[in-house]
Coordinates of all heavy atoms in Angstrom, one line a residue:
M1 N -146.5 -49.4 -33.6 CA -146.3 -49.9 -34.9 C -145.1 -50.9 -34.9 O -144.1 -50.7 -34.3 CB -145.9 -48.7 -35.8 CG -145.6 -49.0 -37.2 SD -145.2 -47.6 -38.3 CE -146.5 -46.4 -37.9
S2 N -145.3 -52.0 -35.6 CA -144.3 -53.0 -35.6 C -143.1 -52.6 -36.5 O -143.2 -51.8 -37.4 CB -144.9 -54.4 -36.1 OG -145.0 -54.3 -37.6
I3 N -142.0 -53.2 -36.2 CA -140.7 -53.0 -36.9 C -140.9 -53.4 -38.4 O -140.4 -52.7 -39.3 CB -139.5 -53.6 -36.3 CG1 -138.2 -53.1 -36.9 CG2 -139.6 -55.1 -36.3 CD1 -137.9 -51.7 -36.6
R4 N -141.6 -54.4 -38.6 CA -141.9 -54.9 -40.0 C -142.6 -53.8 -40.8 O -142.2 -53.6 -41.9 CB -142.6 -56.2 -39.9 CG -142.9 -56.8 -41.3 CD -143.7 -58.1 -41.2 NE -144.0 -58.5 -42.6 CZ -144.1 -59.7 -42.9 NH1 -143.9 -60.7 -42.0 NH2 -144.3 -60.0 -44.2
I5 N -143.6 -53.2 -40.2 CA -144.4 -52.2 -40.9 C -143.5 -51.0 -41.2 O -143.5 -50.4 -42.3 CB -145.6 -51.8 -40.2 CG1 -146.6 -52.9 -40.2 CG2 -146.2 -50.5 -40.7 CD1 -147.8 -52.7 -39.3
V6 N -142.7 -50.6 -40.2 CA -141.8 -49.5 -40.4 C -140.8 -49.8 -41.5 O -140.6 -48.9 -42.4 CB -141.0 -49.2 -39.1 CG1 -139.9 -48.2 -39.3 CG2 -142.0 -48.7 -38.0
L7 N -140.2 -50.9 -41.5 CA -139.3 -51.3 -42.5 C -139.9 -51.3 -43.9 O -139.3 -50.8 -44.9 CB -138.6 -52.7 -42.3 CG -137.6 -52.7 -41.1 CD1 -137.2 -54.1 -40.8 CD2 -136.4 -51.8 -41.4
L8 N -141.1 -51.9 -44.0 CA -141.8 -51.9 -45.3 C -142.1 -50.5 -45.8 O -142.0 -50.2 -47.0 CB -143.1 -52.7 -45.2 CG -143.0 -54.2 -45.1 CD1 -144.3 -54.8 -44.8 CD2 -142.4 -54.7 -46.3
R9 N -142.5 -49.6 -44.9 CA -142.7 -48.2 -45.3 C -141.4 -47.5 -45.8 O -141.4 -46.8 -46.8 CB -143.3 -47.4 -44.1 CG -144.7 -47.7 -43.9 CD -145.3 -46.8 -42.8 NE -146.7 -47.1 -42.5 CZ -147.4 -46.6 -41.6 NH1 -146.9 -45.7 -40.8 NH2 -148.7 -46.9 -41.5
L10 N -140.3 -47.7 -45.1 CA -139.1 -47.1 -45.5 C -138.6 -47.7 -46.8 O -138.1 -46.9 -47.7 CB -138.0 -47.4 -44.4 CG -138.2 -46.6 -43.1 CD1 -137.1 -47.0 -42.1 CD2 -138.1 -45.1 -43.4
V11 N -138.7 -49.0 -47.0 CA -138.3 -49.6 -48.3 C -139.2 -49.0 -49.4 O -138.7 -48.7 -50.5 CB -138.4 -51.1 -48.1 CG1 -138.3 -51.8 -49.5 CG2 -137.4 -51.6 -47.3
S12 N -140.5 -48.9 -49.2 CA -141.4 -48.3 -50.2 C -141.0 -46.9 -50.5 O -141.0 -46.5 -51.7 CB -142.8 -48.4 -49.8 OG -143.2 -49.7 -49.6
L13 N -140.7 -46.1 -49.5 CA -140.3 -44.7 -49.7 C -139.0 -44.6 -50.5 O -138.9 -43.8 -51.4 CB -140.1 -44.0 -48.3 CG -139.6 -42.6 -48.3 CD1 -140.7 -41.7 -49.0 CD2 -139.3 -42.1 -47.0
G14 N -138.1 -45.4 -50.2 CA -136.8 -45.4 -50.9 C -137.0 -45.8 -52.4 O -136.5 -45.2 -53.3
A15 N -137.8 -46.8 -52.6 CA -138.1 -47.2 -54.0 C -138.8 -46.1 -54.8 O -138.5 -45.8 -55.9 CB -139.0 -48.5 -54.0
G16 N -139.7 -45.5 -54.1 CA -140.4 -44.3 -54.7 C -139.5 -43.2 -55.1 O -139.6 -42.7 -56.2
M17 N -138.5 -43.0 -54.3 CA -137.5 -42.0 -54.6 C -136.7 -42.3 -55.8 O -136.4 -41.5 -56.7 CB -136.6 -41.8 -53.4 CG -137.2 -41.0 -52.2 SD -136.3 -40.9 -50.7 CE -134.7 -40.5 -51.3
L18 N -136.3 -43.6 -55.9 CA -135.5 -44.0 -57.1 C -136.3 -43.9 -58.4 O -135.8 -43.4 -59.4 CB -135.1 -45.5 -56.9 CG -134.0 -45.7 -55.9 CD1 -133.8 -47.2 -55.7 CD2 -132.7 -45.0 -56.2
I19 N -137.6 -44.2 -58.3 CA -138.5 -44.1 -59.5 C -138.7 -42.6 -59.8 O -138.5 -42.2 -61.0 CB -139.8 -44.8 -59.2 CG1 -139.6 -46.3 -59.2 CG2 -140.8 -44.4 -60.3 CD1 -140.8 -47.0 -58.6
F20 N -138.9 -41.8 -58.8 CA -139.1 -40.3 -59.0 C -137.9 -39.7 -59.6 O -138.0 -38.8 -60.5 CB -139.4 -39.7 -57.6 CG -139.5 -38.2 -57.6 CD1 -140.7 -37.7 -58.1 CD2 -138.5 -37.4 -57.2 CE1 -140.9 -36.3 -58.1 CE2 -138.7 -36.0 -57.2 CZ -139.9 -35.5 -57.6
L21 N -136.7 -40.1 -59.2 CA -135.5 -39.5 -59.8 C -135.1 -40.1 -61.2 O -134.2 -39.6 -61.8 CB -134.3 -39.8 -58.8 CG -134.4 -39.0 -57.5 CD1 -133.3 -39.5 -56.6 CD2 -134.2 -37.6 -57.7
G22 N -135.9 -41.1 -61.6 CA -135.6 -41.6 -62.9 C -134.5 -42.6 -62.9 O -134.0 -43.0 -64.0
V23 N -134.1 -43.1 -61.8 CA -133.1 -44.1 -61.7 C -133.6 -45.5 -62.2 O -132.9 -46.2 -62.8 CB -132.5 -44.2 -60.2 CG1 -131.5 -45.4 -60.1 CG2 -131.9 -42.9 -59.8
V24 N -134.8 -45.8 -61.9 CA -135.4 -47.0 -62.3 C -136.8 -46.7 -62.9 O -137.4 -45.7 -62.6 CB -135.6 -48.0 -61.1 CG1 -134.2 -48.5 -60.7 CG2 -136.3 -47.4 -60.0
Q25 N -137.3 -47.7 -63.6 CA -138.6 -47.5 -64.3 C -139.7 -48.2 -63.5 O -140.9 -47.8 -63.5 CB -138.6 -48.0 -65.7 CG -137.6 -47.2 -66.6 CD -138.0 -45.8 -66.7 OE1 -139.2 -45.4 -66.8 NE2 -137.0 -44.9 -66.5
A26 N -139.4 -49.3 -62.9 CA -140.4 -50.1 -62.1 C -139.8 -50.6 -60.8 O -138.6 -50.7 -60.7 CB -140.9 -51.3 -63.0
A27 N -140.7 -50.8 -59.9 CA -140.2 -51.1 -58.5 C -140.2 -52.7 -58.3 O -141.1 -53.2 -57.9 CB -141.1 -50.5 -57.5
S28 N -139.1 -53.3 -58.7 CA -138.9 -54.7 -58.4 C -138.5 -54.8 -57.0 O -138.2 -53.8 -56.3 CB -137.8 -55.3 -59.3 OG -136.5 -54.7 -58.9
F29 N -138.5 -56.1 -56.5 CA -138.2 -56.3 -55.1 C -136.8 -55.8 -54.8 O -136.5 -55.1 -53.8 CB -138.3 -57.8 -54.7 CG -137.9 -58.0 -53.3 CD1 -138.8 -57.7 -52.3 CD2 -136.7 -58.6 -53.0 CE1 -138.5 -57.9 -50.9 CE2 -136.3 -58.8 -51.6 CZ -137.3 -58.5 -50.6
A30 N -135.8 -56.0 -55.8 CA -134.4 -55.6 -55.6 C -134.4 -54.0 -55.5 O -133.7 -53.4 -54.7 CB -133.6 -56.1 -56.7
T31 N -135.2 -53.4 -56.3 CA -135.2 -51.9 -56.3 C -135.8 -51.4 -55.0 O -135.3 -50.4 -54.5 CB -136.1 -51.4 -57.5 OG1 -135.5 -51.8 -58.7 CG2 -136.3 -49.9 -57.5
V32 N -136.8 -52.0 -54.5 CA -137.4 -51.6 -53.3 C -136.4 -51.8 -52.2 O -136.2 -50.9 -51.3 CB -138.7 -52.5 -53.0 CG1 -139.2 -52.2 -51.5 CG2 -139.8 -52.1 -54.0
M33 N -135.7 -52.8 -52.1 CA -134.6 -53.0 -51.1 C -133.5 -52.0 -51.3 O -133.0 -51.5 -50.3 CB -134.0 -54.4 -51.2 CG -135.1 -55.5 -50.9 SD -135.9 -55.3 -49.3 CE -134.6 -55.5 -48.2
Q34 N -133.1 -51.7 -52.5 CA -132.1 -50.7 -52.7 C -132.6 -49.3 -52.2 O -131.8 -48.6 -51.6 CB -131.8 -50.6 -54.2 CG -130.7 -49.6 -54.6 CD -130.5 -49.4 -56.0 OE1 -131.1 -50.1 -56.9 NE2 -129.5 -48.6 -56.4
G35 N -133.9 -49.0 -52.5 CA -134.4 -47.7 -52.0 C -134.4 -47.6 -50.5 O -134.1 -46.6 -50.0
G36 N -134.7 -48.7 -49.8 CA -134.7 -48.7 -48.4 C -133.3 -48.4 -47.8 O -133.2 -47.6 -46.9
K37 N -132.4 -49.0 -48.4 CA -131.0 -48.8 -48.0 C -130.6 -47.4 -48.3 O -129.8 -46.7 -47.5 CB -130.0 -49.8 -48.7 CG -130.2 -51.2 -48.2 CD -129.3 -52.2 -49.0 CE -129.5 -53.6 -48.6 NZ -128.8 -54.5 -49.5
L38 N -130.9 -46.9 -49.5 CA -130.6 -45.5 -49.8 C -131.2 -44.5 -48.8 O -130.6 -43.6 -48.4 CB -131.2 -45.2 -51.2 CG -131.0 -43.8 -51.8 CD1 -129.5 -43.6 -52.2 CD2 -131.9 -43.6 -53.0
Y39 N -132.5 -44.7 -48.5 CA -133.1 -43.8 -47.5 C -132.5 -43.9 -46.1 O -132.1 -42.9 -45.5 CB -134.6 -44.2 -47.3 CG -135.3 -43.3 -46.3 CD1 -135.8 -42.1 -46.7 CD2 -135.4 -43.6 -45.0 CE1 -136.4 -41.2 -45.8 CE2 -135.9 -42.8 -44.0 CZ -136.4 -41.6 -44.4 OH -137.0 -40.7 -43.5
A40 N -132.2 -45.1 -45.7 CA -131.5 -45.3 -44.4 C -130.2 -44.6 -44.3 O -129.8 -44.0 -43.3 CB -131.4 -46.8 -44.0
K41 N -129.4 -44.7 -45.4 CA -128.1 -44.1 -45.5 C -128.1 -42.6 -45.6 O -127.3 -41.9 -45.0 CB -127.3 -44.7 -46.6 CG -125.9 -44.2 -46.8 CD -125.2 -44.8 -47.9 CE -123.8 -44.2 -48.1 NZ -123.1 -44.7 -49.3
N42 N -129.0 -42.1 -46.4 CA -128.9 -40.7 -46.8 C -130.0 -39.8 -46.3 O -129.9 -38.5 -46.3 CB -128.9 -40.6 -48.3 CG -127.7 -41.2 -48.9 OD1 -126.6 -40.9 -48.7 ND2 -127.9 -42.3 -49.7
C43 N -131.1 -40.3 -45.8 CA -132.3 -39.5 -45.5 C -132.7 -39.6 -44.0 O -133.1 -38.6 -43.4 CB -133.5 -39.8 -46.4 SG -133.0 -39.9 -48.1
A44 N -132.6 -40.8 -43.5 CA -133.1 -41.1 -42.2 C -132.5 -40.2 -41.0 O -133.2 -39.9 -40.1 CB -133.0 -42.6 -41.8
Q45 N -131.3 -39.9 -41.2 CA -130.6 -39.1 -40.2 C -131.4 -37.8 -39.9 O -131.4 -37.3 -38.8 CB -129.2 -38.8 -40.6 CG -128.4 -37.9 -39.6 CD -127.0 -37.6 -40.0 OE1 -126.5 -38.2 -41.0 NE2 -126.3 -36.8 -39.2
C46 N -131.9 -37.2 -40.9 CA -132.6 -35.9 -40.7 C -134.1 -36.1 -40.7 O -134.8 -35.4 -40.0 CB -132.2 -34.9 -41.9 SG -130.5 -34.4 -41.8
H47 N -134.6 -36.9 -41.6 CA -136.1 -37.0 -41.8 C -136.7 -38.1 -40.8 O -137.9 -38.2 -40.8 CB -136.4 -37.4 -43.2 CG -136.2 -36.2 -44.1 ND1 -137.0 -35.2 -44.2 CD2 -135.1 -36.0 -44.9 CE1 -136.5 -34.3 -45.1 NE2 -135.3 -34.7 -45.5
G48 N -135.8 -38.8 -40.1 CA -136.3 -39.8 -39.2 C -136.4 -41.2 -39.7 O -136.6 -41.4 -40.9
A49 N -136.2 -42.2 -38.9 CA -136.2 -43.6 -39.3 C -137.5 -44.0 -39.9 O -137.6 -44.9 -40.7 CB -135.9 -44.5 -38.1
T50 N -138.6 -43.4 -39.5 CA -139.9 -43.7 -40.1 C -140.4 -42.6 -41.0 O -141.6 -42.5 -41.2 CB -141.0 -44.1 -39.0 OG1 -141.1 -42.9 -38.2 CG2 -140.5 -45.2 -38.2
A51 N -139.6 -41.7 -41.4 CA -139.9 -40.6 -42.3 C -140.8 -39.6 -41.6 O -141.6 -38.9 -42.3 CB -140.4 -41.1 -43.6
Q52 N -140.8 -39.6 -40.3 CA -141.7 -38.7 -39.6 C -141.3 -37.2 -39.5 O -142.1 -36.4 -39.2 CB -141.9 -39.2 -38.1 CG -140.7 -38.9 -37.2 CD -139.5 -39.9 -37.3 OE1 -139.5 -40.8 -38.2 NE2 -138.6 -39.8 -36.4
G53 N -140.1 -36.9 -39.9 CA -139.6 -35.5 -39.9 C -139.2 -35.1 -38.6 O -139.3 -35.8 -37.6
A54 N -138.6 -33.9 -38.5 CA -138.1 -33.3 -37.2 C -139.3 -32.8 -36.4 O -140.3 -32.4 -37.1 CB -137.1 -32.2 -37.5
P55 N -139.2 -32.7 -35.1 CA -140.3 -32.1 -34.4 C -140.4 -30.6 -34.8 O -139.4 -30.0 -35.1 CB -139.8 -32.2 -32.9 CG -138.8 -33.3 -32.9 CD -138.2 -33.3 -34.3
N56 N -141.6 -30.1 -34.8 CA -141.9 -28.7 -35.2 C -141.3 -28.4 -36.6 O -140.8 -27.3 -36.8 CB -141.4 -27.8 -34.2 CG -142.1 -28.0 -32.8 OD1 -143.3 -28.1 -32.8 ND2 -141.4 -28.0 -31.8
W57 N -141.3 -29.3 -37.5 CA -140.7 -29.1 -38.8 C -141.3 -27.9 -39.6 O -140.7 -27.4 -40.5 CB -140.9 -30.4 -39.7 CG -142.3 -30.8 -39.9 CD1 -143.1 -31.6 -39.2 CD2 -143.1 -30.3 -41.0 NE1 -144.3 -31.7 -39.7 CE2 -144.4 -30.9 -40.8 CE3 -142.9 -29.5 -42.1 CZ2 -145.4 -30.7 -41.7 CZ3 -144.0 -29.3 -43.0 CH2 -145.2 -29.9 -42.8
H58 N -142.5 -27.6 -39.2 CA -143.2 -26.5 -40.0 C -142.9 -25.1 -39.3 O -143.5 -24.1 -39.9 CB -144.7 -26.8 -40.0 CG -145.3 -26.9 -38.6 ND1 -145.1 -28.1 -37.9 CD2 -146.0 -26.1 -37.8 CE1 -145.7 -27.9 -36.7 NE2 -146.3 -26.8 -36.7
K59 N -142.0 -25.0 -38.4 CA -141.7 -23.7 -37.8 C -140.2 -23.5 -37.9 O -139.4 -24.3 -37.8 CB -142.0 -23.8 -36.3 CG -143.5 -23.9 -36.0 CD -143.8 -24.0 -34.5 CE -145.2 -24.2 -34.2 NZ -145.5 -24.2 -32.8
V60 N -139.9 -22.2 -38.2 CA -138.5 -21.8 -38.4 C -137.8 -22.0 -37.0 O -138.3 -21.7 -36.0 CB -138.5 -20.3 -38.8 CG1 -137.0 -19.8 -38.9 CG2 -139.2 -20.1 -40.1
D61 N -136.5 -22.5 -37.2 CA -135.7 -22.7 -35.9 C -134.9 -21.5 -35.6 O -135.1 -20.4 -36.2 CB -134.8 -23.9 -36.1 CG -133.8 -23.8 -37.2 OD1 -133.5 -22.6 -37.6 OD2 -133.2 -24.8 -37.6
K62 N -134.0 -21.6 -34.6 CA -133.2 -20.5 -34.1 C -132.3 -19.9 -35.2 O -132.0 -18.7 -35.2 CB -132.3 -20.9 -33.0 CG -133.0 -21.3 -31.7 CD -132.0 -21.7 -30.6 CE -132.2 -23.1 -30.3 NZ -131.3 -23.6 -29.3
L63 N -132.0 -20.7 -36.2 CA -131.1 -20.2 -37.3 C -131.9 -19.7 -38.5 O -131.3 -19.3 -39.5 CB -130.2 -21.3 -37.8 CG -129.3 -22.0 -36.7 CD1 -128.6 -23.2 -37.3 CD2 -128.3 -21.0 -36.2
G64 N -133.3 -19.6 -38.3 CA -134.1 -19.1 -39.4 C -134.4 -20.1 -40.5 O -134.8 -19.7 -41.6
K65 N -134.1 -21.3 -40.2 CA -134.4 -22.4 -41.2 C -135.5 -23.3 -40.8 O -135.7 -23.5 -39.6 CB -133.1 -23.2 -41.5 CG -132.0 -22.3 -42.0 CD -130.7 -23.1 -42.3 CE -129.7 -22.2 -42.8 NZ -128.5 -22.9 -43.3
Y66 N -136.1 -24.0 -41.7 CA -137.1 -25.0 -41.4 C -136.4 -26.4 -41.2 O -135.5 -26.7 -42.0 CB -138.1 -25.2 -42.5 CG -139.1 -24.0 -42.6 CD1 -138.8 -22.9 -43.4 CD2 -140.2 -24.0 -41.8 CE1 -139.7 -21.9 -43.5 CE2 -141.1 -23.0 -41.8 CZ -140.9 -21.9 -42.7 OH -141.7 -20.9 -42.7
P67 N -136.7 -27.1 -40.1 CA -136.2 -28.4 -39.9 C -136.7 -29.4 -41.0 O -137.6 -29.1 -41.7 CB -136.7 -28.8 -38.6 CG -137.1 -27.6 -37.9 CD -137.5 -26.6 -39.0
P68 N -136.1 -30.5 -41.2 CA -136.5 -31.5 -42.2 C -138.0 -31.9 -42.0 O -138.4 -32.3 -40.9 CB -135.6 -32.7 -42.0 CG -134.4 -32.1 -41.3 CD -134.9 -31.0 -40.4
P69 N -138.7 -31.8 -43.1 CA -140.2 -32.2 -43.0 C -140.4 -33.7 -43.0 O -139.5 -34.4 -43.4 CB -140.8 -31.5 -44.2 CG -139.7 -31.6 -45.2 CD -138.4 -31.3 -44.4
P70 N -141.5 -34.1 -42.7 CA -141.9 -35.6 -42.8 C -141.9 -36.0 -44.3 O -142.2 -35.1 -45.2 CB -143.2 -35.7 -42.2 CG -143.6 -34.4 -41.7 CD -142.7 -33.4 -42.1
L71 N -141.6 -37.2 -44.6 CA -141.6 -37.7 -46.0 C -142.6 -38.8 -46.0 O -142.6 -39.7 -46.9 CB -140.2 -38.2 -46.4 CG -139.2 -37.1 -46.4 CD1 -137.8 -37.8 -46.7 CD2 -139.5 -36.0 -47.4
N72 N -143.5 -38.9 -45.1 CA -144.5 -40.0 -45.0 C -145.9 -39.6 -45.4 O -146.9 -40.3 -45.1 CB -144.5 -40.5 -43.5 CG -145.0 -39.4 -42.5 OD1 -145.4 -38.3 -42.9 ND2 -144.9 -39.8 -41.3
G73 N -146.0 -38.5 -46.2 CA -147.3 -38.1 -46.7 C -148.0 -37.0 -45.8 O -149.0 -36.5 -46.2
T74 N -147.4 -36.7 -44.6 CA -148.0 -35.7 -43.8 C -147.3 -34.4 -43.9 O -147.7 -33.4 -43.2 CB -148.0 -36.2 -42.3 OG1 -146.6 -36.3 -41.9 CG2 -148.7 -37.5 -42.1
G75 N -146.3 -34.3 -44.7 CA -145.5 -33.1 -44.9 C -146.0 -32.1 -45.9 O -147.2 -32.1 -46.3
H76 N -145.2 -31.3 -46.4 CA -145.6 -30.2 -47.3 C -145.0 -30.3 -48.7 O -145.1 -29.4 -49.5 CB -145.2 -28.9 -46.7 CG -143.7 -28.6 -46.7 ND1 -142.9 -29.2 -45.8 CD2 -143.0 -27.9 -47.5 CE1 -141.6 -28.9 -46.1 NE2 -141.7 -28.0 -47.1
A77 N -144.4 -31.4 -49.1 CA -143.8 -31.5 -50.4 C -144.7 -31.3 -51.6 O -144.3 -31.0 -52.7 CB -143.1 -32.9 -50.5
W78 N -146.0 -31.5 -51.3 CA -147.0 -31.4 -52.5 C -146.9 -30.1 -53.2 O -147.3 -30.0 -54.3 CB -148.4 -31.8 -51.9 CG -148.8 -30.8 -50.9 CD1 -148.6 -31.0 -49.5 CD2 -149.4 -29.6 -51.0 NE1 -149.1 -29.9 -48.8 CE2 -149.6 -29.0 -49.7 CE3 -149.8 -28.8 -52.1 CZ2 -150.2 -27.8 -49.5 CZ3 -150.4 -27.6 -51.9 CH2 -150.6 -27.0 -50.7
H79 N -146.6 -29.0 -52.5 CA -146.7 -27.7 -53.1 C -145.4 -27.3 -53.8 O -145.3 -26.2 -54.4 CB -147.1 -26.6 -52.1 CG -146.1 -26.2 -51.1 ND1 -145.9 -26.8 -49.9 CD2 -145.1 -25.2 -51.2 CE1 -144.9 -26.3 -49.3 NE2 -144.4 -25.3 -50.0
H80 N -144.4 -28.1 -53.8 CA -143.1 -27.8 -54.5 C -143.1 -28.4 -56.0 O -143.8 -29.5 -56.2 CB -141.9 -28.4 -53.8 CG -141.6 -27.7 -52.5 ND1 -141.3 -26.4 -52.3 CD2 -141.7 -28.2 -51.2 CE1 -141.1 -26.1 -51.1 NE2 -141.4 -27.2 -50.4
S81 N -142.5 -27.8 -56.9 CA -142.4 -28.3 -58.2 C -141.5 -29.6 -58.2 O -140.7 -29.8 -57.3 CB -141.8 -27.3 -59.2 OG -140.4 -27.1 -58.9
I82 N -141.7 -30.4 -59.3 CA -140.9 -31.6 -59.4 C -139.4 -31.2 -59.5 O -138.6 -31.9 -58.9 CB -141.3 -32.4 -60.7 CG1 -142.8 -32.8 -60.6 CG2 -140.4 -33.5 -61.0 CD1 -143.0 -33.8 -59.4
D83 N -139.1 -30.2 -60.2 CA -137.7 -29.8 -60.3 C -137.1 -29.4 -58.9 O -135.9 -29.8 -58.6 CB -137.5 -28.6 -61.2 CG -137.7 -29.0 -62.7 OD1 -137.6 -30.2 -63.0 OD2 -138.0 -28.1 -63.5
V84 N -137.8 -28.7 -58.1 CA -137.4 -28.3 -56.8 C -137.2 -29.6 -55.9 O -136.2 -29.8 -55.2 CB -138.3 -27.4 -56.1 CG1 -138.0 -27.2 -54.6 CG2 -138.3 -26.0 -56.8
L85 N -138.1 -30.5 -56.0 CA -138.0 -31.8 -55.2 C -136.8 -32.6 -55.6 O -136.1 -33.1 -54.8 CB -139.3 -32.5 -55.3 CG -140.6 -31.9 -54.6 CD1 -141.8 -32.7 -55.0 CD2 -140.4 -31.8 -53.1
K86 N -136.7 -32.7 -56.9 CA -135.5 -33.5 -57.4 C -134.2 -32.9 -57.0 O -133.3 -33.5 -56.6 CB -135.6 -33.6 -58.9 CG -136.6 -34.6 -59.5 CD -136.5 -34.7 -61.0 CE -137.4 -35.7 -61.5 NZ -137.3 -35.8 -63.0
G87 N -134.1 -31.6 -57.0 CA -132.9 -30.9 -56.6 C -132.6 -31.1 -55.1 O -131.5 -31.3 -54.7
T88 N -133.6 -31.0 -54.3 CA -133.5 -31.2 -52.9 C -133.1 -32.6 -52.6 O -132.2 -32.9 -51.8 CB -134.8 -30.9 -52.2 OG1 -135.1 -29.5 -52.4 CG2 -134.6 -31.1 -50.7
I89 N -133.6 -33.6 -53.3 CA -133.3 -35.0 -53.1 C -131.8 -35.2 -53.5 O -131.0 -35.9 -52.8 CB -134.2 -36.0 -53.8 CG1 -135.6 -35.9 -53.2 CG2 -133.7 -37.4 -53.8 CD1 -136.7 -36.5 -54.0
R90 N -131.5 -34.7 -54.6 CA -130.1 -34.9 -55.2 C -129.1 -34.2 -54.4 O -128.0 -34.7 -54.2 CB -130.0 -34.5 -56.6 CG -130.7 -35.5 -57.6 CD -130.2 -35.3 -59.0 NE -130.7 -36.4 -59.8 CZ -131.6 -36.2 -60.8 NH1 -132.1 -35.1 -61.1 NH2 -132.0 -37.3 -61.5
N91 N -129.4 -32.9 -54.0 CA -128.4 -32.1 -53.3 C -128.6 -31.8 -51.9 O -127.7 -31.1 -51.2 CB -128.4 -30.7 -54.1 CG -128.2 -30.9 -55.6 OD1 -127.3 -31.6 -56.0 ND2 -128.9 -30.2 -56.4
G92 N -129.6 -32.3 -51.3 CA -129.9 -32.0 -49.9 C -130.6 -30.7 -49.7 O -130.8 -29.9 -50.7
G93 N -131.0 -30.4 -48.5 CA -131.6 -29.1 -48.2 C -130.6 -28.0 -48.2 O -129.4 -28.2 -48.3
K94 N -131.1 -26.8 -48.0 CA -130.2 -25.6 -47.9 C -129.3 -25.7 -46.7 O -129.8 -26.1 -45.6 CB -131.0 -24.4 -47.8 CG -131.8 -24.1 -49.1 CD -132.6 -22.8 -49.0 CE -133.4 -22.5 -50.2 NZ -134.3 -21.3 -50.1
K95 N -128.1 -25.4 -46.9 CA -127.1 -25.6 -45.8 C -126.9 -24.3 -45.1 O -127.0 -23.2 -45.6 CB -125.7 -26.0 -46.3 CG -125.8 -27.3 -47.2 CD -126.2 -28.5 -46.3 CE -126.2 -29.8 -47.1 NZ -127.1 -30.7 -46.7

């Protein structure tokens, strides 16, 4: 996968997060760029540079916790309520 495609996906993901959180109403180019920076700064460290999630994200680790899931559409976020997702995005996962 080219770096350009990866960057476009990350930027789109970040813009989607801003819209989801109610920070913005529509995804202008500036908003998309802001979302990409937001993801890179706050999410990529755990969820991966391409939103691929941690290896074995669907299995409990040694500490009894689930690793960060993918955010690229292959994860499990679909079964959580909007309120739970917003809280996780705003406050991070369980520590």
Side-chain angles (χ1 to χ4, degrees):
M1 180 179 314
S2 75
I3 189 70
R4 182 180 175 148
I5 291 173
V6 169
L7 289 174
L8 287 172
R9 285 184 180 178
L10 289 176
V11 167
S12 297
L13 177 65
M17 287 172 46
L18 291 174
I19 292 167
F20 177 77
L21 291 172
V23 174
V24 294
Q25 298 298 317
S28 66
F29 181 76
T31 299
V32 171
M33 295 308 294
Q34 180 185 4
K37 290 176 184 175
L38 178 74
Y39 179 87
K41 179 181 177 187
N42 299 295
C43 310
Q45 179 180 353
C46 296
H47 292 280
T50 60
Q52 75 276 10
N56 297 315
W57 62 268
H58 56 286
K59 296 180 181 178
V60 177
D61 64 16
K62 293 182 244 180
L63 301 174
K65 298 182 180 186
Y66 286 95
L71 300 174
N72 60 7
T74 64
H76 71 283
W78 60 268
H79 75 271
H80 293 293
S81 71
I82 296 297
D83 289 338
V84 167
L85 294 172
K86 284 183 178 181
T88 301
I89 291 168
R90 284 197 171 114
N91 305 314
K94 293 180 181 177
K95 305 293 181 213

